[in-house]
Amino acid sequence: MTSLNGPRMDANIVVLGTDNVGKSALIVRFLTRRFIGEYGDIESLYTHNIVVDGREQTLNIWDTPYSQDLSSESLMCEKRVQWADGFVLVYSICDRSSFNSVSRLLQIIKSTKDFLGFEKMPIVIVGNKRDLHHRRTVLSEEGRLLALSADCQFYEVSAAENYHSVLMVFHGLMDRIRESRVSVKKLAGIKGIVKSMSAVFARRRTDSL
Ligand code: GDP
Ligand code: MG
């Protein structure tokens, strides 16, 4: 489908992280601008239409439950990587183990992506609950370094107190998804040229025999 300003860009986003880090709070804040406080534990798929640069986009956001068991997390990961155009990995700045889980999730996503032969997977790492800085156990620098080492974007936010920073997370990810699509298209274009050139040379070789 095309709009006035070009093709429509729909995107599937998976939100991952251990329990209680504020995954649902972030999503609900982004979609409704509100912070409710309690969200329950249901797995949900949200569909949301937004307009970016004059283009209408549909976002599907998957609020996933976390499994403590790493092997079932790896199993689930294949399904998620196949479905997703991008990931939001969330930890709480007051919960060190949730930060460690984000490192593990990064590794699982990377190996699954490589296994499936996917080129790029845009990922945003989010340190949530910034308003609770007096209880902080994970430094901003640690989050930033982890993101740098994995070529991800990084934000520290407070779903409870700040709508704008949450908006930046999702818009930042969508920008990344858009860029990765352009580079995949370019790569496909280059591969196409290489293919047709090698076909020409192969023909020449057989002609000269
Ligand atoms: P999930 O299990 O990762 O989906 O976490 P929830 O979104 O259900 O949030 C878990 C708890 O943390 C809830 O009591 C929220 O009210 C609270 N919470 C979420 N985000 C923030 C935040 O930015 N600051 C504070 N202080 N509490 C938050
Ligand atoms: Mg939740």
Side-chain angles (χ1 to χ4, degrees):
M1 200 188 288
T2 54
S3 73
L4 280 178
N5 297 297
R8 227 182 125 117
M9 199 206 75
D10 296 348
N12 293 342
I13 294 172
V14 176
V15 182
L16 280 179
T18 51
D19 287 336
N20 227 32
V21 293
K23 299 181 295 296
S24 306
L26 279 167
I27 298 170
V28 171
R29 182 61 125 161
F30 171 61
L31 299 179
T32 68
R33 295 180 178 236
R34 299 221 172 91
F35 180 74
I36 309 166
E38 291 309 318
Y39 299 87
D41 284 331
I42 346 158
E43 177 173 12
S44 315
L45 181 67
Y46 299 89
T47 297
H48 184 62
N49 291 319
I50 50 167
V51 176
V52 177
D53 298 335
R55 286 185 204 183
E56 193 182 331
Q57 304 185 351
T58 299
L59 285 187
N60 300 305
I61 305 176
W62 187 358
D63 186 358
T64 60
Y66 184 76
S67 160
Q68 293 299 333
D69 170 13
L70 270 185
S71 62
S72 54
E73 199 56 48
S74 306
L75 264 177
M76 286 301 295
C77 193
E78 195 166 320
K79 195 167 130 197
R80 289 169 183 159
V81 168
Q82 264 166 340
W83 183 82
D85 297 302
F87 281 85
V88 178
L89 303 186
V90 190
Y91 67 89
S92 157
I93 65 155
C94 326
D95 176 358
R96 165 70 48 183
S97 70
S98 71
F99 180 68
N100 297 338
S101 299
V102 163
S103 302
R104 277 198 298 276
L105 285 167
L106 270 173
Q107 284 161 9
I108 296 176
I109 293 170
K110 187 181 179 317
S111 53
T112 309
K113 171 188 85 70
D114 292 347
F115 172 73
L116 293 172
F118 287 10
E119 298 272 344
K120 256 194 167 187
M121 183 55 78
I123 299 173
V124 176
I125 295 175
V126 178
N128 187 36
K129 307 199 183 185
R130 194 178 186 178
D131 53 295
L132 302 179
H133 48 86
H134 48 286
R135 283 171 41 196
R136 180 192 283 278
T137 55
V138 185
L139 297 172
S140 305
E141 287 68 29
E142 294 178 86
R144 204 165 294 122
L145 263 179
L146 178 65
L148 201 67
S149 68
D151 190 23
C152 303
Q153 279 173 300
F154 173 68
Y155 298 90
E156 259 193 14
V157 307
S158 165
E161 290 194 346
N162 191 296
Y163 166 66
H164 184 73
S165 59
V166 175
L167 193 67
M168 299 274 289
V169 167
F170 287 92
H171 279 262
L173 182 58
M174 270 148 28
D175 289 346
R176 275 268 180 130
I177 292 173
R178 206 174 305 121
E179 282 163 22
S180 76
R181 284 183 180 165
V182 171
S183 59
V184 165
K185 261 192 196 161
K186 272 192 192 151
L187 196 68
I190 292 168
K191 277 186 183 160
I193 294 169
V194 171
K195 243 187 186 171
S196 40
M197 280 177 58
S198 35
V200 169
F201 284 120
R203 207 176 314 131
R204 285 222 180 124
R205 270 205 301 276
T206 45
D207 286 352
S208 61
L209 285 176

